[in-house]
Amino acid sequence: MRSAHFSGQDGPSLRHTPPGAARSIRLALLIFHLLALHLLALHLATLGQQAVTEDQVKAAYLLNFAKVAQWPASALPDGPSPMVIGVSGGDEDFLAVLKAVVAGKVIGTHPAEAKAVNSPEEMKSCHIIFFRASDKKRAHAVLESVPQGVLLVGEDESFLRQGGMINLVRDHGSVRFEVNADALDRSQIHLSAKILTLAKTASAPPRIAASNAPEEGARPVKHRVPPDYPDIAARLKLTGTVQLEALVAPDGTVKEVRVVGGPPVLVDAVVQAVKQWKYQPASNETREIVKFSFGPQ
């Protein structure tokens, strides 16, 4: 079975190509490499015998992000200084895989280098930091202290909401990536629009604003589950208010939910959440009105 190989080279010699055309060719080749990796990741779960491991796919993603991202000159000046990919948390096995993937690779004039980072001070020397899921507590603590011009990549579902820029996610058995475009803009690191179209989502899902807390009926809620913001709603930047009527048993469990109104894309998320709510016990069944508004924070 053939396996994908990313050589880190730009392909045929561009020595005699005009500078502007050469840059366009290089970007096209890098996008092709990332697209090939993207397709490989999508089909990884369907292979009868896996040609690559998940760690190898994630390591290849990190190398290709290093190739296609554009850093501000203050973060990555011209010259032979290394392009450093730091790994925070996790085990030595992934770091060994990443070191093997980047070995001998040169990005522009910068040799690629991978290393473990264990403190905010060590992170300052990195251009990319990959926070493993096991290190999510420290990630939350240091994300705001990482200097501008560092690409922050994670693999935890809350990473983008905490201010991360790219998140590697499992999707139906494969590995894909999500992008928080706002965080990228603030960092002054740029990815081309063609790269962003490969992302699972164009930006981090909007969070529910505190002012948009649910309006409830007279019966107090003892345990509340917040609704998830659907991916498709995030892509469409859809906001709106959902209104439901919940039939609540004497013991406080929700027996059934009736939709009163709201955008169909958002309704199901609220219905599924309210079905898990637990109200305060009462002597009789009650019908409670719930209104929930979605909007970016």
Side-chain angles (χ1 to χ4, degrees):
M1 180 179 293
R2 294 182 179 179
S3 61
H5 174 69
F6 300 93
S7 67
Q9 303 300 319
D10 288 332
S13 174
L14 304 177
R15 220 177 312 173
H16 304 297
T17 307
R23 283 194 296 272
S24 298
I25 293 171
R26 288 192 181 97
L27 179 58
L29 288 169
L30 292 176
I31 290 173
F32 172 78
H33 287 167
L34 189 56
L35 178 58
L37 173 63
H38 182 71
L39 294 174
L40 171 65
L42 287 176
H43 293 290
L44 185 59
T46 66
L47 296 176
Q49 179 180 358
Q50 289 187 355
V52 292
T53 66
E54 182 176 323
D55 279 355
Q56 288 172 320
V57 171
K58 289 182 176 180
Y61 264 127
L62 293 174
L63 175 61
N64 279 275
F65 291 145
K67 291 178 178 180
V68 300
Q70 297 179 353
W71 272 262
S74 58
L76 189 63
D78 291 338
S81 59
M83 162 74 73
V84 181
I85 304 174
V87 180
S88 179
D91 52 35
E92 290 294 324
D93 291 343
F94 177 79
L95 184 61
V97 170
L98 180 60
K99 285 183 175 180
V101 167
V102 306
K105 304 299 189 298
V106 178
I107 301 167
T109 60
H110 307 281
E113 175 185 312
K115 68 176 185 178
V117 290
N118 299 300
S119 69
E121 193 62 30
E122 290 179 319
M123 293 178 186
K124 292 178 181 179
S125 65
C126 297
H127 301 92
I128 298 176
I129 302 172
F130 181 42
F131 292 93
R132 304 308 309 272
S134 60
D135 203 33
K136 62 182 180 181
K137 288 186 178 179
R138 180 163 57 173
H140 180 71
V142 304
L143 276 175
E144 293 185 359
S145 63
V146 173
Q148 195 175 59
V150 179
L151 183 65
L152 307 177
V153 184
E155 57 178 1
D156 179 73
E157 62 181 11
S158 63
F159 187 71
L160 295 186
R161 294 195 298 272
Q162 294 174 3
M165 300 167 193
I166 297 177
N167 197 36
L168 300 178
V169 295
R170 296 283 295 180
D171 184 39
H172 301 292
S174 64
V175 181
R176 297 185 64 186
F177 68 99
E178 303 170 319
V179 174
N180 182 343
D182 291 338
L184 275 172
D185 287 344
R186 290 193 296 271
S187 73
Q188 296 185 6
I189 298 172
H190 300 291
L191 295 177
S192 77
K194 290 182 180 179
I195 297 299
L196 294 178
T197 61
L198 299 179
K200 185 182 176 191
T201 56
S203 61
R207 292 173 288 175
I208 296 165
S211 60
N212 291 345
E215 298 178 22
E216 303 155 7
R219 191 168 174 180
V221 179
K222 185 178 179 180
H223 174 70
R224 182 184 299 108
V225 175
D228 293 325
Y229 195 96
D231 284 346
I232 188 170
R235 294 190 188 101
L236 298 173
K237 298 182 180 179
L238 182 64
T239 61
T241 299
V242 173
Q243 182 170 326
L244 307 175
E245 182 183 72
L247 178 62
V248 185
D251 66 357
T253 58
V254 177
K255 295 177 64 176
E256 63 182 54
V257 176
R258 184 176 69 87
V259 177
V260 178
V265 173
L266 303 175
V267 162
D268 187 61
V270 182
V271 168
Q272 296 307 315
V274 172
K275 283 181 177 179
Q276 302 175 66
W277 285 16
K278 183 80 172 181
Y279 285 77
Q280 292 288 356
S283 56
N284 300 303
E285 286 185 351
T286 61
R287 293 187 180 274
E288 306 296 323
I289 296 296
V290 177
K291 292 182 181 180
F292 204 99
S293 296
F294 289 86
Q297 188 172 36

